[in-house]
Amino acid sequence: MLDLNRLKALHAVHVYGSVGAAADALMVTPSAVSQQIAKLERETGARLVERNGRGVRLTDAAGLLAEHAERILALVQTAEADFEALRGEVVGRLNVGAFPTAARGLMPRALAELGRRHPDLSVQMYEREPERVIREVARGELDLVIVQDWLNRPMPIPDGLSRKTLLDDIADVALPAAHPLAASKEVELSALCGERWISSSPGTICHDWLVFTLRSAELEPEIMAMADEYPTQLALVAAGLGCAIVPRLGRDPVPEGVRLVPLLPRQTRRIYALWRSDAARRPAIRATVEALVRVSSGEENGWAVS
């Protein structure tokens, strides 16, 4: 009889293209993946991997088995969801992914509330970038994820996923305290012509959004520094090295030398939870979404987001 964990390892190599990438997705070591596939070879009596330079590639037999494994694993997930729904109890294990500011600004309170209300539910949180967690929830590697996009640049969501908006998070411009506009009640984005900018790394949602937004306002971005963490961006602003656009969710205390000014037009990102539609029957999914909705209230958390 084929072992599900071994099929899962083979399927992950098939999907991600290498043992190392599969191990990263499954959150195990490459050695563990290789061992599972070696055991599967003995179970099936078929050669499943071949050397390919410094890595490996799957054989035709492995590709066929991986396609069956995908259907088998999907059926197992459906059966688990149906069984949990039948019991009606918030139990089991839930793997949740969240982008960094949601991991800091929402998840601690949500996890604490779930622990109080549902002590038989075990939630494992992973901090991930939105593009990655969307792939992982679509493939069933994560059960529920928190992602973001910007209202003026929405992100496509794959079919088969359900979503629940948690909050709209407004972003302000961070200016050095000595900046001529630092004392303004509001500032038009177009008034920031000629400014130097501090951004996230190229290829991230926030970097691509900043470039898109500035160019939409006919401002050519001069990016002088890139840092993925907002506290680092604010430190660079405090040093007078440029401006940054910083959302309010999970924002750390603003350092001396920085002034946050609302932008016109408002720059807003939408934060929402995603899960597979075929898993929506799971009480654990519903309970987690409900907890996230509750803690997303600006009044409860002490910060206003809209």
Side-chain angles (χ1 to χ4, degrees), residues 49-60:
V49 294
E50 296 176 338
R51 284 289 173 190
N52 182 31
R54 300 179 65 179
V56 298
R57 71 174 185 88
L58 297 182
T59 64
D60 291 342

Side-chain angles (χ1 to χ4, degrees), residues 1-9 43 69 72-73 76 80:
M1 183 174 180
L2 297 175
D3 181 272
L4 282 177
N5 288 327
R6 293 163 197 167
L7 288 175
K8 186 180 291 186
E43 282 181 347
I72 291 167
L73 293 169
V76 169
E80 291 174 342

Side-chain angles (χ1 to χ4, degrees), residues 86-268:
L86 179 65
R87 293 176 62 188
E89 299 175 1
V90 182
V91 297
R93 179 184 175 91
L94 208 65
N95 292 318
V96 177
F99 66 96
T101 50
R104 180 172 65 250
L106 294 179
M107 287 307 299
R109 295 178 68 91
L111 291 174
E113 178 177 320
L114 285 168
R116 290 191 300 270
R117 289 174 178 258
H118 308 291
D120 293 327
L121 176 65
S122 174
V123 181
Q124 181 72 52
M125 189 197 80
Y126 302 92
E127 185 178 292
R128 298 277 198 271
E129 290 301 322
E131 301 93 332
R132 176 175 176 179
V133 293
I134 289 176
R135 293 193 300 268
E136 291 177 335
V137 74
R139 291 169 176 163
E141 293 148 15
L142 293 174
D143 299 302
L144 183 145
V145 299
I146 306 174
V147 298
Q148 62 156 345
D149 61 17
W150 294 84
L151 296 190
N152 64 335
R153 193 175 172 85
M155 184 167 52
I157 302 300
D159 293 338
L161 296 181
S162 297
R163 65 191 288 173
K164 173 66 176 179
T165 298
L166 301 177
L167 57 95
D168 286 346
D169 185 19
I170 292 175
D172 303 309
V173 63
L175 300 171
H179 193 284
L181 297 174
S184 304
K185 291 184 177 180
E186 296 175 323
V187 61
E188 292 277 353
L189 185 61
S190 58
L192 298 171
C193 179
E195 297 292 342
R196 295 185 301 170
W197 292 92
I198 296 157
S199 167
S200 301
S201 300
T204 61
I205 286 177
C206 289
H207 173 90
D208 294 346
W209 168 82
L210 178 65
V211 171
F212 171 82
T213 299
L214 292 176
R215 287 178 175 165
S216 296
E218 300 183 350
L219 304 176
E220 186 58 31
E222 180 186 351
I223 296 175
M224 60 75 53
M226 288 172 281
D228 291 331
E229 293 293 330
Y230 287 125
T232 306
Q233 293 187 18
L234 290 173
L236 292 166
V237 174
L241 300 176
C243 308
I245 297 180
V246 182
R248 297 177 184 177
L249 174 65
R251 191 156 64 196
D252 291 316
V254 179
E256 291 291 331
V258 174
R259 299 293 181 269
L260 294 169
V261 183
L263 277 166
L264 294 176
R266 292 280 184 259
Q267 303 300 320
T268 305

